[in-house]
């Protein structure tokens, strides 16, 4: 004999009820089935809403009622194709519904809803569903009977959450089933009767419990809970896409997970079957072939994972009681808990510091105000004597918990849990770990639940796959290249490096798009055309609100305004990767502040592409400094654009056209004056000096320009180009001098003895800079370890492709962080 329980979604539509019937048809061939059913999906909530509206004198309760009526009649219409039978069923159902309508009308008149009436009202859901299903099966020729569970399950009169009188209940159940011969017996879940004959219920979600009580009373071979997911999952599958069904769980693990929010199993369900050692199997009505989750005494034959699941309870309030008057006074906690118990308030989690100076209690949000009032009253005396502060309530919190019998045998589990939460800026308000070490719980903000579950899930269950969520701003040459490279590499990264790299937000100065599941990179351009209008602040706010783990803001602009928002991102624990060099070359305090924020908020700030595009220049310098080497001087050609210009300019090609070409090929900044004035190179050597530990400002970099006054005075890019034509003779002179000296013109940056300077130099034949081709960069680090032969980094130092790949490298570096 088996007991099967079908939940609200399993009996929520005609299609699903047909699936239930098919399942029962096949199982009942082998063994007798006792079937407990919930109300049709959503009906219990709708009954409650209608009642609340009626009590609050809102006439919308009538619409609520009509909706409930409609939902049932549609199901009957669709399930039973014979008019005669259909009408018979409808007649009984309508009679019940009339009763319900009268009850609601009554509530509207008296505007009061007692727990006792609540039970009466909610019981309609299960009564209707069990009747409709048994009649349908009967009509379809199955050997089925209906039994009212109220006649079997006896409780106290604690309405809405009654306690079962097991002795009497067991007796009733055994007596009934001894005589019952039907192959399938259907019973409504959730409802019961008090010793004095009043209708009671077993608490929301209580149909699972009904089934467990019957299973235990009859000592059946198995209890099956049929629902809309394929078992108890590693975490709530509605919040974490990667959650997977757990094959096997011990009873205790199942209790912990369900107690801490895994709604798929009502927590009291386990106890009755545990006592009789009856396994529980959680199965999916929509996918009956899936094996589901097997819950039994034994866990060791399951997986040896330490953490089996992660669960969450939302709508938590934290009560904090503190004060010196608590220290060392016996009986204090007793008074506190007695007060809560008198108010029937369930305590979900407790923590007390060993100093006894404060105690934190997590309870349901809805109980918070009553709890405060009651506790403040109980401790009135101590509060007035200032031994204790009035109780503090914080709302909008949640509890997350990791669960596993085997956790106690593994070190560092809580360390892993809290370090990933910390890395993702999830603030922890309180922590509790049971002495059994089967459960580690943390109280966090409600807004962080999804991120926290996903982060912890990734850490413990996803073969170390790390998801990175990018918010890219600036979709010009470099931005587009970066997006292309990401698209090309996405599947490689996932497969080989276990990095799930997704672009979640994209913006330029006009538009922005978002997709929390990752923007499809096949057709983002089309999507972008219809995007909402963007702002720097708007993009930031959206990134913060999405609250995704491992979020990274990528700045591919050259905008000062964009660079001004880095601090805000870092404070939100969002990493910043930038090729925009304004932030690092702005005033020193700002640069330093960003470094400090990065450390404080554990949000990396990476800008390798600020110097030498994709070349590992900053990284090399950082490694030298970190390993204790002293960088004494740096000599470098750091402008791919200027190198390109001076490599192409000659007495046969004028200066203006050469600069134009450089811009056309994407080697200059949008405003070429930034390159030609030397300011771009000055910024780069400034950044290197700062990375080397120097407190330096841009004004400290000596910049000897090779431009003329009229070049420098130009008011616009066009004027500047015009001035280049006018000053061609000046540039030809520079060229001629270098040629006469057998030298090449190179724009050189130098850092030495704590000073930095940039300027055009004539480089002789034997110098390593002489043969520097095209848009290449070269950096020579002279250090204590490399005193004569410098450490040289050389290669393409400008261009969209290499800059994008430098950004990409910084992003990947974060995955390893
Ligand atoms: P039923 O109507 O069948 O009783 P419930 O809604 O009570 O179904 O429980 C099933 C739901 O529990 C799932 O749809 C899922 O959203 C939720 N749930 C939360 N945590 C978990 C978990 N760890 N494993 C499975 N389901 C979970
Ligand atoms: N119908 C009840 C509820 O929604 C009981 C159950 O479904 O388990 O809470
Ligand atoms: Mg349920």
């Amino acid at each position: 004999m088996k007991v099967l329980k079908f939940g609200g979604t399993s009996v929520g539509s005609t299609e699903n009820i047909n699936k239930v019937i098919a399942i029962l048809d096949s199982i009942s061939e082998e063994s007798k089935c006792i079937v407990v059913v919930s109300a049709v999906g959503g009906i219990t909530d709708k009954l409650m809403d209608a009642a609340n509206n009626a009590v609050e004198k809102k006439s919308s309760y009538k619409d609520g009622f009509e909706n409930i009526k409609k939902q049932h009649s549609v199901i009957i219409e669709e399930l039973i194709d014979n008019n005669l039978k259909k009408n018979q069923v409808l007649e009984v159902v309508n009679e019940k519904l009339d009763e319900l309508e009268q009850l609601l009308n009554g509530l509207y008149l008296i505007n009061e809803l007692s727990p006792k009436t609540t039970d009466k009202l909610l019981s309609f859901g299960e009564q209707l569903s069990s009747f409709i299903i048994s009649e349908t099966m009967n009509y379809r020729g199955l050997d089925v009977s209906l039994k009212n569970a109220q006649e079997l399950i006896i409780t106290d009169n604690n309405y809405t959450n009654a306690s079962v009188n097991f002795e009497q209940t067991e007796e009733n159940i055994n007596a009934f089933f001894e005589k019952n011969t039907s192959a399938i017996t259907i019973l409504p879940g959730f409802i019961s009767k008090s010793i004095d004959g009043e209708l009671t219920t077993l608490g929301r979600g209580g149909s699972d419990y009904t089934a467990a009580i019957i299973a235990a009373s009859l000592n059946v071979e198995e209890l099956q809970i049929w629902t809309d997911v394929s078992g108890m999952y590693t975490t709530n599958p509605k919040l974490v896409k990667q959650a997977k069904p757990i094959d096997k769980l011990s009873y205790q693990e199942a209790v912990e997970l369900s107690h801490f929010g895994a709604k798929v199993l009502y927590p009291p369900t386990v106890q009755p079957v545990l006592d009789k050692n009856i396994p529980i199997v959680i199965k999916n009505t929509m996918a009956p072939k899936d094996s589901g989750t097997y819950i039994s005494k034994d866990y060791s034959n399951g997986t040896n994972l330490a953490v089996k699941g992660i669960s969450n309870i939302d709508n938590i309030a934290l009560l904090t009681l503190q004060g010196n008057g608590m220290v060392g006074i016996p009986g204090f906690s007793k008074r506190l808990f007695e007060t809560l118990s008198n108010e029937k308030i369930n305590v979900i989690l407790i923590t007390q510091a060993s100093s006894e100076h404060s105690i934190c209690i997590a309870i349901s949000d809805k109980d918070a105000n009553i709890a405060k009032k009651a506790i403040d009253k109980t401790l009135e005396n101590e509060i007035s004597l200032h031994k204790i502060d009035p109780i503090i309530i914080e709302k909008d919190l949640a509890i997350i918990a990791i669960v596993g019998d085997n956790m106690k045998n593994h070190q560092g589990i809580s360390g892993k849990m809290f370090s990933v939460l910390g890395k993702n800026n999830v603030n922890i308000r309180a922590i509790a770990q049971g002495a059994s070490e089967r459960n580690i719980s943390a109280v966090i903000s409600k807004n962080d639940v999804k991120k926290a579950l996903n982060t912890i899930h990734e850490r413990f269950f996803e073969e170390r796959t790390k998801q990175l969520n990018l918010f890219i701003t600036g979709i010009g040459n470099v931005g587009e290249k970066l997006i292309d490279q990401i698209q090309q590499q996405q599947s490689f990264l996932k497969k080989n490096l276990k990095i799930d790299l997704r672009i979640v937000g994209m913006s330029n100065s006009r538009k922005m798009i978002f997709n929390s599941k990752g923007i499809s990179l096949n057709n983002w351009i089309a999507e972008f055309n219809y995007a909402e209008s963007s702002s720097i602040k708007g993009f930031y706010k959206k990134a913060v609100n999405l609250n995704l783990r491992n979020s990274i803001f990528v700045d591919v602009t050259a905008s000062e305004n964009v660079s001004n928002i880095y601090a805000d991102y870092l404070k939100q624990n969002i990493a910043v990767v930038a090729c925009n060099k304004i932030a690092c070359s702005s005033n020193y305090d700002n640069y330093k502040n960003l470094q400090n924020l990065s450390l404080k908020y554990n949000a990396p700030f990476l800008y390798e592409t600020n110097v030498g595009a994709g070349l590992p220049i900053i990284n090399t310098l950082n490694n030298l400094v970190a390993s204790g080497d002293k960088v004494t001087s740096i000599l470098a050609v750091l402008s791919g654009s200027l190198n390109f210009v001076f490599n192409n300019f000659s007495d046969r090609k004028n200066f203006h056209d050469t600069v134009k070409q450089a811009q056309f090929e994407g080697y200059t900044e949008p405003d070429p004056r930034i390159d030609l004035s030397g300011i771009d190179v000055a910024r780069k050597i400034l950044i290197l000096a700062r990375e080397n530990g120097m407190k330096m400002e841009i004004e400290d970099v000596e910049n000897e320009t090779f431009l003329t006054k009229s070049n420098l005075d130009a008011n616009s890019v066009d004027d500047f180009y015009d001035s280049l034509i006018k000053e061609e003779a000046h540039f030809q002179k520079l060229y001629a001098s270098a040629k006469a000296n057998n030298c090449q013109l190179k724009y050189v940056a130098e850092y030495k003895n704590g000073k930095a300077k940039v300027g055009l130099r004539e480089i002789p034949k034997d110098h390593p800079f002489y043969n520097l081709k095209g848009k290449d960069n070269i950096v020579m680090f002279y250090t204590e370890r490399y005193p004569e032969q410098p450490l040289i980094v050389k290669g393409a130092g400008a261009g969209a492709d290499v800059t994008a790949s430098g950004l990409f490298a910084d992003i990947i570096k974060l995955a390893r962080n």
Side-chain angles (χ1 to χ4, degrees), residues 563-574:
S563 77
N564 285 338
I565 202 160
Y566 295 173
D568 293 347
Y569 277 102
L570 295 172
K571 283 182 197 160
Q572 294 294 332
N573 175 246
I574 296 176

Side-chain angles (χ1 to χ4, degrees), residues 330-345:
F332 191 86
S333 326
K334 182 167 165 260
R335 283 167 64 205
L336 185 61
F337 292 116
E338 246 168 25
T339 309
L340 293 172
S341 155
N342 290 341
E343 298 292 333
K344 298 211 166 78
I345 292 172

Side-chain angles (χ1 to χ4, degrees), residues 749-764:
E750 186 176 3
Y751 165 82
K752 199 174 185 176
N753 301 329
K755 295 222 156 48
K757 62 179 179 192
V758 297
L760 194 63
R761 293 195 198 175
E762 292 182 356
I763 302 291

Side-chain angles (χ1 to χ4, degrees), residues 612-615 617 640 772-778 794-799 802-803:
L615 295 177
I617 296 171
L772 200 64
K773 295 274 177 321
K775 56 193 188 307
D776 285 2
N777 277 195
I778 182 167
K794 180 178 164 190
V802 287
T803 308

